[in-house]
Amino acid sequence: MTDAVHIVLDDTAMAAAGQGNVLASRLIHRGHAESGWFLYAPACALVEADRARPGTAEHLASLPGITVLDLDLAAALAVAQHKTWAAAHSHYAAQPTPDRPDGAIIATTAPHRWAGEPVRVLDLTA
């Protein structure tokens, strides 16, 4: 295990950040200000967040502490196997990689969405 903290914001977390969710705002601040904290915005989830709350995508993409994850071929193939693009891309982004050997935690305001999925979840409604 590494000391780094990797967080994937799902579409609900992104929309919540734009609505003043304190926990989402704290995550974004940590991703910008603290060493070892990394926040990711999967492109498909970013689109859904912007549909729910227009302006979200442009705002989050401009923040220095957030890395927007493109929909590459591997991600596209994973998305094709799920119901929604936003959840599928977030799920894919949370899987272990050479850069994130422990995977990432999915931050969400809809933790029930992730029930039964093999991912770690950070509930932003608590």
Side-chain angles (χ1 to χ4, degrees), residues 7-10 14 39-46 60-61 66-70 89-90 93:
I7 306 283
V8 172
L9 301 171
D10 77 357
M14 292 182 216
L39 271 63
Y40 305 96
C44 293
L46 196 58
L60 287 175
I66 296 180
T67 300
V68 176
L69 301 176
D70 294 332
H89 200 188
S90 297

Side-chain angles (χ1 to χ4, degrees), residues 102-126:
D102 298 323
I105 300 165
I106 296 178
T108 185
T109 62
H112 60 278
R113 172 193 285 178
W114 302 104
E117 294 289 336
V119 294
R120 295 175 291 161
V121 173
L122 176 60
D123 183 352
L124 299 181
T125 63

Side-chain angles (χ1 to χ4, degrees), residues 39-80:
L39 271 63
Y40 305 96
C44 293
L46 196 58
V47 168
E48 285 304 313
D50 200 68
R51 287 180 179 167
R53 184 166 173 76
T56 299
E58 186 175 359
H59 174 70
L60 287 175
S62 72
L63 296 174
I66 296 180
T67 300
V68 176
L69 301 176
D70 294 332
L71 185 65
D72 59 12
L73 177 59
L77 294 173
V79 165

